[in-house]
Amino acid sequence: TVAVGKYVIDSTYITVTVTEGPSVRDFDKTKWEFHKKNIDLQYIAKGKEKMGIAPLAKSTLTGFDDKKDNGSLTIDDASAKYVVAKPGKYLLFFPSDAHRPNIKVDCDTVKKIVFKIRSSMVR
């Protein structure tokens, strides 16, 4: 029941973004990403989407935006694993994980809640 938007839980450590709509894309339209400062906790509240995960150590960096804490990279797909995220499950991506979200499965509309947790909070 949480409305779409960005919510600041703690201005230093935790923000939450709620999205709903046709955010999933065909596999070839998605990209690998990672974060240096934040842990992503991603929860699908409605619909389904496929997400990839791979060790960052098996990747090649192609770019990084410090302000957004978002990097792009290429991965040898042999080191990647894919899961279908759906309501009742969540995925947790650490700075050592590359992840590839928003891959279309069999529905167009997905409601997703993404928590960005500053990694210095976790010990």
Side-chain angles (χ1 to χ4, degrees):
T1 61
V2 177
V4 170
K6 187 171 184 175
Y7 301 90
V8 177
I9 306 300
D10 176 306
S11 62
T12 304
Y13 295 108
I14 302 171
T15 61
V16 178
T17 303
V18 179
T19 57
E20 184 171 17
S23 60
V24 289
R25 300 182 287 278
D26 291 331
F27 183 83
D28 62 335
K29 304 273 192 244
T30 63
K31 297 179 181 180
W32 287 99
E33 64 180 53
F34 76 103
H35 312 289
K36 290 180 180 178
K37 300 174 190 166
N38 292 307
I39 296 166
D40 268 11
L41 187 151
Q42 299 197 15
Y43 177 76
I44 303 299
K46 181 172 81 174
K48 291 189 234 182
E49 84 175 50
K50 186 186 249 185
M51 294 188 203
I53 185 168
L56 194 58
K58 302 269 184 173
S59 69
T60 303
L61 180 67
T62 59
F64 194 82
D65 183 331
D66 278 320
K67 188 174 181 179
K68 293 182 180 179
D69 186 39
N70 195 35
S72 55
L73 35 85
T74 58
I75 295 279
D76 168 16
D77 242 15
S79 65
K81 294 182 181 181
Y82 292 90
V83 297
V84 174
K86 53 189 174 184
K89 307 264 183 198
Y90 66 88
L91 286 97
L92 194 59
F93 302 111
F94 289 89
S96 59
D97 300 322
H99 55 287
R100 187 175 192 167
N102 304 322
I103 304 168
K104 185 175 183 174
V105 179
D106 61 5
C107 63
D108 290 321
T109 301
V110 173
K111 183 171 188 177
K112 180 161 65 170
I113 303 166
V114 178
F115 293 79
K116 296 279 186 189
I117 306 163
R118 183 65 58 140
S119 64
S120 62
M121 266 188 76
V122 179
R123 301 212 181 261

